[in-house]
Amino acid sequence: MNILVSGAGIAGLAAARELGTRGHDVTVVEYDHGLRLAGTPIDIRGDAVRTVERMGLLAEIRKRRLRMTESTWFVDGDGEPVGRIPIAQISDSDDDIEILREDLVRVLADALPGTAAIRFGDSIAELADGGDGVGVRFASGRTGRYDLVLGADGQHSAVRRLVFGPEEDYLRHLGVYIALAALPGEARSEGVNSIHNVPSRMAGTFWYKDRAVAVFQFRSEPLDYDRHDLDAQKKIVIDAFAGHRSWRIPELLDAVRADPGFFFDSASQIHLPSWHRGRVALVGDAGYSPAFLSGRGTSLALTGAHILAEELDRCGGDHTAAFERYEVRQRPYVTFAQASVDRGRDRILPTSWAAIAARDEALRAADTGTR
């Protein structure tokens, strides 16, 4: 079949790899002008580890895995440690592989067969499912016709909007936003990541291999902003921390202003009763974002892409049957992941100074008890 995949993120690349190796002609269309590499480390967990093994990629992924050698400390306004998250609380086993997002993206991109190609700097503008194929008009003005279209274009999926309706009909906002900014001049600390809280907000510095990143999270009701306007997104973060000058907050906000690769998004889930309609199906965050708070979005993208390709094979190209079987097999993973998001949120983002103090005291007591 001739298949169009929207999005060259993890879900899109995994789908292109799995479909292409099964003999389909795959075109991946990506809005950005190159692979999107920004982001914090991600986890491949549980059955997703076995999925990448079946894809033949486990050895390459293990070569690039991160081993947690840093402690993460909560610090006060003067930078003094007040409580530690022990390394033992961070999974590091054969059933949980941590890897930089950019490393996984490159592994998947390098594994694309000759039957799969990526077209950068374009996106889907219109879809018309005629029953025997899907007509597509691209933002560039190009047109094409495909047997199937897969939306793997993330939480803010254009394919989902065009086929299933407005994002707000399916989005569940979890009340948290996250931002990341590079810290290129950061001096290496001795194996320590730091988190500082003010009520309903956190700012931190984290090391991933040889690079440092400023991380911000804050609680908020849904915000209306242009996701393609980087300056507007930076202003949201700067305004959210306005008036807070403790620890390194002003300095880290300068990093936000300076970083051309700044990242900003909400912790939100996508809930759809079905992930397919006609000849169009959704994979990964486009169909079932669990939110970054779950730590399972990458795993869902990988299992979803593999299951969908496998079912198209098993059903002999009968896309209706394949899409239905894909949903039956993938739905339990999604249900579990989406139910996991509330764990740890109150510890990372206490809502008052009293709650921050109580959290710190509990962590100090726990740390003392393990010595």
Side-chain angles (χ1 to χ4, degrees), residues 29 66 68 209 284 332:
V29 62
L66 295 173
M68 295 304 298
K209 286 189 176 178

Side-chain angles (χ1 to χ4, degrees), residues 157-225:
S157 169
V159 172
R160 187 186 63 239
R161 174 177 51 80
L162 290 168
V163 176
F164 294 86
E167 180 174 299
E168 54 266 28
D169 291 349
Y170 307 107
L171 184 138
R172 177 193 168 204
H173 178 57
L174 301 179
V176 177
Y177 285 85
I178 183 172
L180 307 172
L183 286 173
E186 183 78 353
R188 179 79 197 199
S189 58
E190 291 301 318
V192 176
N193 298 319
S194 299
I195 296 174
H196 175 64
N197 286 106
V198 294
S200 298
R201 290 156 174 76
M202 70 81 91
T205 57
F206 286 76
W207 279 94
Y208 304 125
K209 286 189 176 178
D210 58 351
R211 74 187 63 179
V213 177
V215 180
F216 296 87
Q217 290 185 27
F218 61 95
R219 295 181 186 252
S220 172
E221 292 301 310
L223 300 171
D224 184 18
Y225 63 94

Side-chain angles (χ1 to χ4, degrees), residues 81-328:
V82 294
R84 181 179 63 166
I85 302 176
I87 294 174
Q89 292 186 15
I90 303 172
S91 182
D92 184 23
S93 70
D94 287 341
D95 287 326
D96 190 336
I97 299 173
E98 188 171 34
I99 184 172
L100 287 176
R101 184 185 188 281
E102 67 178 80
D103 285 347
L104 180 55
V105 166
R106 287 193 172 111
V107 167
L108 290 168
D110 289 345
L112 290 179
T115 51
I118 306 175
R119 190 164 78 227
F120 292 108
D122 208 351
S123 59
I124 297 173
E126 293 180 6
L127 291 170
D129 189 342
D132 60 348
V134 185
V136 179
R137 185 178 68 80
F138 296 93
S140 63
R142 294 188 186 191
T143 59
R145 190 167 183 82
Y146 300 88
D147 296 307
L148 301 176
V149 173
L150 302 183
D153 42 352
Q155 179 180 301
H156 307 297
S157 169
V159 172
R160 187 186 63 239
R161 174 177 51 80
L162 290 168
V163 176
F164 294 86
E167 180 174 299
E168 54 266 28
D169 291 349
Y170 307 107
L171 184 138
R172 177 193 168 204
H173 178 57
L174 301 179
V176 177
Y177 285 85
I178 183 172
L180 307 172
L183 286 173
E186 183 78 353
R188 179 79 197 199
S189 58
E190 291 301 318
V192 176
N193 298 319
S194 299
I195 296 174
H196 175 64
N197 286 106
V198 294
S200 298
R201 290 156 174 76
M202 70 81 91
T205 57
F206 286 76
W207 279 94
Y208 304 125
K209 286 189 176 178
D210 58 351
R211 74 187 63 179
V213 177
V215 180
F216 296 87
Q217 290 185 27
F218 61 95
R219 295 181 186 252
S220 172
E221 292 301 310
L223 300 171
D224 184 18
Y225 63 94
D226 182 349
R227 288 187 294 274
H228 300 303
D229 187 337
L230 200 64
D231 289 336
Q233 295 170 53
K234 289 182 176 185
K235 186 176 186 303
I236 288 171
V237 177
I238 293 166
D239 289 349
F241 286 83
H244 296 290
R245 304 192 61 80
S246 55
W247 188 52
R248 299 176 60 186
I249 289 177
E251 173 193 351
L252 298 182
L253 290 176
D254 285 341
V256 168
R257 296 181 180 95
D259 185 7
F262 171 79
F263 171 85
F264 179 74
D265 209 346
S266 66
S268 298
Q269 293 182 340
I270 298 297
H271 291 263
L272 282 162
S274 176
W275 305 322
H276 68 93
R277 185 168 294 175
R279 290 179 171 269
V280 179
L282 303 173
V283 186
D285 283 355
Y288 34 82
S289 170
F292 65 81
L293 295 171
S294 75
R296 294 183 178 272
T298 297
S299 297
L300 291 183
L302 293 167
T303 57
H306 177 75
I307 290 170
L308 178 54
E310 191 172 68
E311 290 301 342
L312 280 169
D313 231 16
R314 289 177 176 177
C315 294
D318 180 346
H319 67 278
T320 301
F323 288 168
E324 289 174 355
R325 290 174 59 163
Y326 154 61
E327 291 202 14
V328 169

